[in-house]
Each structure stands twice: as C-alpha cells, then as structure tokens.
Amino acid sequence: MLGRLLLSRGYHSTKGVFGNRPRPNSRYEGISAAVLEKRNTNSNVYRWVEAYRTHGHRIATIDPVKFQSSEAQNFNQLPELQYARYGLTPAVRIDTTGLINVPQHQALSVAELDQLLARMYCGTCSIELGFIESEEEREWLAGRYEQLFQQEPTPSERR
C-alpha cells in the first residue's frame, strides 16, 4: 500500500488540482460521416476555407481609425488565402455543403467563394478560430458566425 501510494502521483485527482477543474464529458459525437466525406472529397477547398478561418482576421479592416490606407491593405494579402496555392482555379464550381455554413446549398465558383470568404473573414467584422482547441467549440463557433453573417440586420438592429 505504501509503495503504491509513493509511486502514484498524489497531486492528480478527479476533482481537479489547485483550482483546475477537468472538463466535464460532453455528448459531442463528432462531425457526421457525410460532412467528413464531403471534406475529404474537396480537401483542397476545405484547407482553403480553414486558412480563411485561421488567418483571415490578420487582414480584416477592423481599425475604425484607419491608420493604414486601403492601398497598403491590398499589399498585405496573405499567401495562405490565395486559392491558387491550393490548386484551385476561378472557374471550378464547388458544392459548399459541409465546407461552410451558408443557407444556400448551391455550387459556387471558386471566385464567388473567394468573395464570400473574404467578406466574412476579412471584412469589417472578423473572427479568429485558431486558438480554440476543442473541435466541438470551433465547429460551433464557425457555424454560428457564418450563419449570423448571412443575415442582414434590420435598421433598428444597426443602431
């Protein structure tokens, strides 16, 4: 008994250590097989979308004072956000189901998808998802952000 007590790490517990409480088990079942299949089929497009989710905030126009001119902003285009880096061409049509959370489940061209992603992640409102470790939380936040971004606010909500 004493040997087992000495060999075990007494500072670990199921209730937490020094104020750090373990996360409760969630009922998250992961991403559905259909979405994973879609992402595997369009893996280059999914990598491109994830690049926007990870790096788009870096060139977003969220500065209300505008210290940088818009010309300086155009020179700051990140290579991670260029669709050519992922072997995509502007004329290719892509079914966005499972890749981004938008209401229309129609095929978009790469150029249209580029405009949509730039408006969502590099516009006057942006989000950074790279620091979120939990897949469940990251997928939920990206889904909610993309859905909310598609809705036009009413004039009273704009105030």
Side-chain angles (χ1 to χ4, degrees):
M1 170 101 175
L2 182 62
R4 192 170 117 199
L5 185 62
L6 290 175
L7 293 176
S8 70
R9 298 183 180 195
Y11 57 88
H12 286 275
S13 72
T14 57
K15 295 183 180 179
V17 179
F18 302 113
N20 180 21
R21 293 191 178 117
R23 288 183 178 216
N25 294 335
S26 70
R27 295 179 295 190
Y28 180 63
E29 298 173 6
I31 300 170
S32 70
V35 170
L36 284 176
E37 179 64 30
K38 226 25 182 166
R39 290 179 180 178
N40 287 334
T41 304
N42 296 317
S43 61
N44 284 348
V45 178
Y46 181 65
R47 286 185 12 211
W48 181 44
V49 169
E50 282 297 311
Y52 264 102
R53 289 176 178 165
T54 305
H55 301 289
H57 72 279
R58 292 169 52 192
I59 61 170
T61 54
I62 56 173
D63 183 12
V65 181
K66 300 194 189 311
F67 284 117
Q68 284 186 336
S69 67
S70 60
E71 294 172 4
Q73 176 105 19
N74 292 337
F75 291 115
N76 291 334
Q77 286 294 327
L78 297 173
E80 292 91 352
L81 305 183
Q82 304 300 319
Y83 53 80
R85 182 180 182 133
Y86 302 97
L88 303 171
T89 57
V92 174
R93 302 217 39 99
I94 299 164
D95 182 18
T96 59
T97 307
L99 301 174
I100 59 173
N101 300 301
V102 292
Q104 70 260 21
H105 293 291
Q106 60 191 14
L108 296 173
S109 70
V110 171
E112 293 169 342
L113 186 57
D114 187 31
Q115 290 174 355
L116 178 66
L117 290 170
R119 199 173 78 234
M120 280 197 283
Y121 290 104
C122 303
T124 56
C125 181
S126 187
I127 188 171
E128 180 181 3
L129 299 171
F131 66 93
I132 301 175
E133 296 176 9
S134 168
E135 179 186 46
E136 176 185 14
E137 293 171 1
R138 191 173 49 249
E139 289 290 325
W140 179 85
L141 188 57
R144 289 294 297 152
Y145 177 74
E146 291 168 358
Q147 288 172 358
L148 291 173
F149 196 85
Q150 297 299 313
Q151 299 171 354
E152 273 301 313
T154 62
S156 64
E157 289 175 337
R158 287 182 184 228
R159 294 179 184 212

